Amino acid sequence: MDVKKSMNFFLTRLSKINSLAILAAILILFKIILNSNESLIFVIVFDLVLISFFFLLTSYFYDLLRNKKTQPLSLIINIIVVGAVLLFLSALSFSLFENIFSSIRDVLREGNVFVLILSSFYSIIVLIGSAYLISILTYLFFLKQKKNLRLYHRTMMIFIALAAFSNVFHDMNEIKFINYTFSSVAYIFIGWNSIRISWIAFITKKEKFIIMLLSIGVLILFGFNTEQFQLNYTIGRIIFIFSPTLAKGISIIFIYLIIYSTVLLFTSLFHLPTSEAFERKAQEVTSLQDLTKLLTQVFDFSELAETVTTTTIKVCNSDSAWLSIFNKNEKKFSAVSVKNIKHISANNITNSIAQELNSSGGNQFGYLRVSELKDDSMSEVSDLGNLVVAYAPLKIHGEVNGYLFAGKSGQIDFDEDDINAIKSFAEYSAIAIENSRLLIESIEKERLEKELDLAREVQNRILPHKTPMIRNLDISSVFIPAFEVGGDYFDFFEVDKNKLGVVIADVSGKGVSAAFYMAEVKGIFESLSKILISPKEILLKANEVLERSLDSKTFVSSAYCLFDLEKSKVMLARGGHCPIILMRERQVQYIRPTGIGLGLNATEIFSQNLSETEIYLQENDILVLFTDGITEARNEYQEEFGYTRFEKILRESTDCNADEISRRVMKEITVFSKNNHQHDDITLVIIKYVGNKGETK
């Protein structure tokens, strides 16, 4: 799209250049062929065409300047260059024409083609230069204007054109007043428009000095040119013979330049005293814009702090600057970016000022001399006693997290503008600190979420996706993971057609580590269940393996049951896990074989404390294996679900099948803890012995 626009712009410009070149060639040819024709009609027609050509050319140059957004300084230099070229042409015309021909008018009337071409070409060059000059003046007139001044400018251009064109009647004394009238009005508008220089307020002090020097150069050059283009000089006669309109127009433009450069000279001079204040405000605005960009683009707080201190020195004209942040671990402020001052000096001054502010209850903006600080640590910075320090707190949500400092040596104090600038930069820095903190939290949260996703995936792959279909047993299992992912684990092992092993375990801790330990526990129990029958033996071997792999802060609570359906009994062993509930004839019994958690002890103490229980099953006996996520579920009042509520549901559901019992338990827990966050995994395994009724599930 941009390429297409550029191509169209180029073609349009090329078309304009061709049109102007053709028109210029026609003008020269027209002048050469009809040179001897001195009728007033011919002169009027020719000069009207010439005026049209001049304004077309001016429009073309003005568009160029506007599209390039040329700086005023460059344009003033261009005016000087064009003025120098015109002065050179004036000197060259004297050598070419005056020394060769005694009377240029006679030579031109005799129709010397060479001289005609040369003089016409000369006039066209002067016309082009004049058109470029008026386009520069037009561009400078509208530059930085806040009001619509087109009416003033167009009126001025119209009267310049009328004054120039009325010069065609220079021989008619009776109507010369018309030329004088148009010229006078044109000069009034030129003077009025010349004082409307808005762009001078937006340049630097150094540029104003340069503009003053260049204005003097313009005055000198066009003072000479105005003289050289009069009729008593060769080039003046050449231009006048080519076109009286052009001769008058050039004269007016030169005077316009003299007036404009005079006004520019004095305007620049009068603006010098206010330049420093303007430049400072401009620097402040630019710095704040840069800081705003950094806040959104730079995530490195160190880089931002570096920019803040550098900018503070620049805007406040201070000798040093530093940014200090409160270190919560060390309970004191620490400099994170220093400029032109030692770290230790910055820290001592900062903490001394902060201490005085805390004791006086103030945390606002201000400044003081270092020698006024009474803290003992100030003896280490005695060489900075004359340093005047301005400070501004970095506040977020009313809390002071740090300070921005600027220091000036000697007797120079900070003024109100300095304090305001430091205040603004401190506010931006405070926002940056908050952004940095939020960014770190966001990265940490994202990292934790990825870990949790990984832990959930591991947990999902480890747990059985369906319950086994075993003769005489009605089995149901439910697992609800917590957001943080715990270490709950349960599994079923079909030892043979009459024996079923069931394990439930809970790895201490949460997250990825718990999930990986859970995977290890699964592998251990899966292997041991194939080679050992006794639940106690399985837990003993599991403890031996896990003790070597678990870290000192991790253990695994577990319970293992072996159902022997041929003998209608179940053997149980428990390693520090929740008790196993036996429901028989609507009575709740807690089966608590002794045992400590796996991985807690590898000595004989573990085996001595581990026991195995054997229960002969009766029809409709229900064994409930669960993790503490059920009994420790909390409501909005932080009350635990507890064993009492759990027993009540089980007792009321004795006649239900395993799935219905699970559903009722989970429904009650969900209702109980609906207004509170689930902080741990919930695992529930219901096994109902149905005797000969359950040949198949």
Side-chain angles (χ1 to χ4, degrees):
M1 190 65 184
D2 291 339
V3 173
K4 187 177 180 180
K5 283 184 178 177
S6 301
M7 184 61 73
N8 290 335
F9 178 73
F10 173 75
L11 293 174
T12 304
R13 181 181 295 181
L14 187 63
S15 175
K16 283 185 177 180
I17 293 174
N18 290 335
S19 302
L20 290 170
I22 293 170
L23 193 55
I26 292 172
L27 281 171
I28 294 173
L29 190 63
F30 190 62
K31 188 67 180 177
I32 293 172
I33 294 173
L34 301 175
N35 179 64
S36 59
N37 190 341
E38 292 187 348
S39 70
L40 184 60
I41 299 297
F42 165 75
V43 175
I44 289 173
V45 171
F46 180 78
D47 281 16
L48 286 174
V49 174
L50 199 68
I51 289 173
S52 302
F53 177 69
F54 178 83
F55 280 107
L56 282 174
L57 204 55
T58 301
S59 173
Y60 172 73
F61 285 135
Y62 178 73
D63 288 342
L64 281 181
L65 297 175
R66 195 173 57 177
N67 290 329
K68 288 185 177 179
K69 300 185 185 305
T70 314
Q71 295 301 311
L73 200 62
S74 301
L75 294 176
I76 302 299
I77 293 173
N78 288 354
I79 289 175
I80 290 179
V81 171
V82 175
V85 170
L86 292 176
L87 197 61
F88 172 75
L89 288 176
S90 173
L92 189 64
S93 67
F94 182 81
S95 302
L96 283 176
F97 297 99
E98 195 70 19
N99 294 339
I100 297 174
F101 307 102
S102 57
S103 172
I104 187 64
R105 178 181 287 271
D106 293 340
V107 171
L108 291 174
R109 283 177 178 171
E110 288 169 2
N112 186 318
V113 175
F114 171 73
V115 176
L116 281 172
I117 292 174
L118 193 58
S119 64
S120 298
F121 182 71
Y122 226 84
S123 301
I124 291 297
I125 290 177
V126 173
L127 182 145
I128 293 171
S130 303
Y132 183 60
L133 290 173
I134 201 71
S135 66
I136 291 177
L137 290 170
T138 302
Y139 181 80
L140 291 175
F141 174 76
F142 287 111
L143 189 63
K144 303 289 185 184
Q145 293 286 4
K146 301 300 180 187
K147 296 180 180 178
N148 188 356
L149 301 177
R150 292 188 180 279
L151 179 62
Y152 295 103
H153 186 265
R154 286 176 180 172
T155 306
M156 179 190 72
M157 295 302 292
I158 289 171
F159 277 98
I160 289 176
L162 290 173
F165 180 70
S166 61
N167 200 41
V168 171
F169 311 103
H170 63 279
D171 290 334
M172 303 178 187
N173 292 329
E174 63 275 13
I175 59 171
K176 270 191 174 179
F177 72 92
I178 296 176
N179 179 264
Y180 295 149
T181 303
F182 287 148
S183 298
S184 299
V185 176
Y187 289 134
I188 290 171
F189 273 99
I190 285 172
W192 175 256
N193 288 342
S194 294
I195 62 175
R196 294 179 175 274
I197 304 175
S198 299
W199 55 268
I200 197 71
F202 297 91
I203 61 175
T204 63
K205 189 175 184 179
K206 182 181 177 182
E207 288 174 330
K208 287 187 176 72
F209 274 117
I210 297 174
I211 289 289
M212 288 170 63
L213 294 175
L214 293 176
S215 299
I216 294 172
V218 174
L219 271 173
I220 296 171
L221 270 174
F222 284 93
F224 279 115
N225 275 325
T226 304
E227 176 67 19
Q228 292 295 314
F229 278 75
Q230 297 298 317
L231 287 176
N232 49 343
Y233 287 89
T234 304
I235 192 165
R237 292 197 297 272
I238 291 173
I239 300 299
F240 184 82
I241 292 170
F242 182 78
S243 167
T245 299
L246 179 60
K248 182 67 177 180
I250 290 171
S251 174
I252 294 174
I253 291 170
F254 287 175
I255 291 173
Y256 187 0
L257 281 164
I258 291 172
I259 294 172
Y260 188 84
S261 57
T262 304
V263 174
L264 187 59
L265 174 64
F266 286 102
T267 306
S268 302
L269 184 64
F270 294 146
H271 273 85
L272 280 179
T274 59
S275 295
E276 191 171 344
F278 172 79
E279 288 174 22
R280 178 172 171 169
K281 289 296 179 187
Q283 179 67 49
E284 274 185 41
V285 172
T286 304
S287 301
L288 288 175
Q289 288 175 340
D290 292 343
L291 282 176
T292 305
K293 288 180 183 176
L294 284 173
L295 282 177
T296 56
Q297 297 173 359
V298 177
F299 298 109
D300 184 352
F301 178 72
S302 299
E303 184 181 346
L304 184 66
E306 186 87 4
T307 304
V308 169
T309 50
T310 304
T311 308
T312 302
I313 289 179
K314 194 184 299 180
V315 173
C316 299
N317 289 321
S318 61
D319 299 309
S320 57
W322 66 96
L323 187 68
S324 294
I325 304 298
F326 186 71
N327 189 320
K328 293 183 178 177
N329 295 325
E330 299 179 1
K331 305 293 183 187
K332 64 180 182 179
F333 290 91
S334 179
V336 294
S337 175
V338 298
K339 287 287 179 185
N340 304 333
I341 190 170
K342 294 178 181 176
H343 257 96
I344 186 170
S345 302
N347 287 334
N348 286 342
I349 295 173
T350 302
N351 287 294
S352 182
I353 291 177
Q355 190 176 346
E356 288 204 0
L357 290 175
N358 285 335
S359 59
S360 62
N363 54 12
Q364 298 303 313
F365 318 97
Y367 63 93
L368 50 76
R369 194 171 294 278
V370 171
S371 57
E372 298 172 8
L373 296 170
K374 306 302 181 186
D375 191 75
D376 294 339
S377 62
M378 286 300 98
S379 59
E380 300 177 17
V381 293
S382 55
D383 56 321
L384 298 177
N386 286 327
L387 186 70
V388 179
V389 177
Y391 53 89
L394 277 58
K395 280 185 176 179
I396 290 293
H397 307 308
E399 184 180 349
V400 177
N401 294 319
Y403 286 94
L404 174 63
F405 296 90
K408 284 186 179 181
S409 302
Q411 301 301 318
I412 303 174
D413 287 342
F414 290 91
D415 57 25
E416 190 175 348
D417 287 342
D418 293 330
I419 297 296
N420 288 335
I422 296 171
K423 177 183 174 183
S424 299
F425 293 155
E427 289 173 351
Y428 277 90
S429 301
I431 295 172
I433 292 171
E434 183 66 5
N435 285 349
S436 176
R437 186 185 66 78
L438 293 174
L439 180 64
I440 292 172
E441 284 185 0
S442 175
I443 293 172
E444 180 64 15
K445 184 178 178 183
E446 187 178 350
R447 184 186 68 79
L448 289 174
E449 286 181 352
K450 286 182 178 177
E451 284 189 3
L452 290 175
D453 288 341
L454 177 62
R456 289 190 191 98
E457 186 176 346
V458 171
Q459 196 174 41
N460 187 50
R461 287 175 180 270
I462 289 172
L463 298 176
H465 293 160
K466 62 181 182 180
T467 55
M469 299 178 68
I470 303 296
R471 178 175 59 88
N472 299 342
L473 295 178
D474 178 17
I475 304 173
S476 175
S477 62
V478 176
F479 171 73
I480 300 176
F483 174 75
E484 294 180 90
V485 182
D488 281 16
Y489 163 67
F490 72 95
D491 212 343
F492 305 98
F493 309 110
E494 294 186 47
V495 180
D496 58 39
K497 65 178 182 179
N498 293 315
K499 292 184 178 64
L500 173 70
V502 180
V503 64
I504 187 166
D506 186 1
V507 180
S508 63
K510 298 181 184 301
V512 175
S513 60
F516 279 108
Y517 281 133
M518 194 171 73
E520 186 178 359
V521 169
K522 174 184 173 65
I524 292 170
F525 276 100
E526 200 167 58
S527 301
L528 293 175
S529 66
K530 294 177 181 175
I531 56 178
L532 297 172
I533 296 298
S534 166
K536 180 180 177 180
E537 290 297 320
I538 289 176
L539 292 187
L540 282 172
K541 290 295 181 184
N543 182 61
E544 290 178 8
V545 178
L546 287 171
E547 195 279 333
R548 293 193 295 270
S549 59
L550 296 178
D551 60 53
S552 58
K553 298 179 181 177
T554 306
F555 67 94
V556 181
S557 68
S558 62
Y560 190 91
C561 307
L562 181 70
F563 287 87
D564 186 340
L565 301 178
E566 187 178 13
K567 298 179 179 177
S568 298
K569 68 176 184 179
V570 57
M571 294 180 290
L572 309 122
R574 185 176 67 102
H577 196 73
C578 302
I580 299 163
I581 295 177
L582 172 63
M583 288 287 302
R584 176 174 290 173
E585 296 177 351
R586 299 185 185 278
Q587 297 299 314
V588 173
Q589 301 178 39
Y590 289 99
I591 312 299
R592 291 190 174 94
T594 57
I596 59 179
L598 305 181
L600 287 174
N601 191 292
T603 65
E604 292 182 352
I605 296 176
F606 182 86
S607 58
Q608 291 171 358
N609 283 279
L610 187 65
S611 62
E612 185 175 285
T613 300
E614 187 174 282
I615 300 171
Y616 283 91
L617 297 171
Q618 298 178 14
E619 190 172 312
N620 294 325
D621 277 355
I622 299 172
L623 260 74
V624 181
L625 288 79
F626 60 96
T627 58
D628 55 6
I630 289 180
T631 54
E632 295 179 1
R634 295 173 184 268
N635 60 14
E636 67 268 33
Y637 307 109
Q638 297 304 308
E639 296 172 338
E640 290 189 350
F641 187 72
Y643 286 93
T644 305
R645 292 185 178 85
F646 194 22
E647 285 179 24
K648 182 173 181 293
I649 302 167
L650 294 175
R651 198 175 291 113
E652 293 172 352
S653 308
T654 302
D655 297 332
C656 301
N657 61 30
D659 285 338
E660 179 61 19
I661 296 171
S662 296
R663 192 188 64 76
R664 289 187 177 189
V665 171
M666 297 315 301
K667 179 183 176 182
E668 290 297 322
I669 292 174
T670 303
V671 171
F672 177 80
S673 58
K674 64 179 180 181
N675 295 323
N676 197 27
H677 175 67
Q678 181 190 339
H679 64 89
D680 201 358
D681 292 346
I682 292 177
T683 303
L684 176 66
V685 179
I686 306 285
I687 303 170
K688 188 171 186 177
Y689 180 71
V690 296
N692 294 329
K693 291 187 296 182
E695 290 297 330
T696 59
K697 187 175 180 179

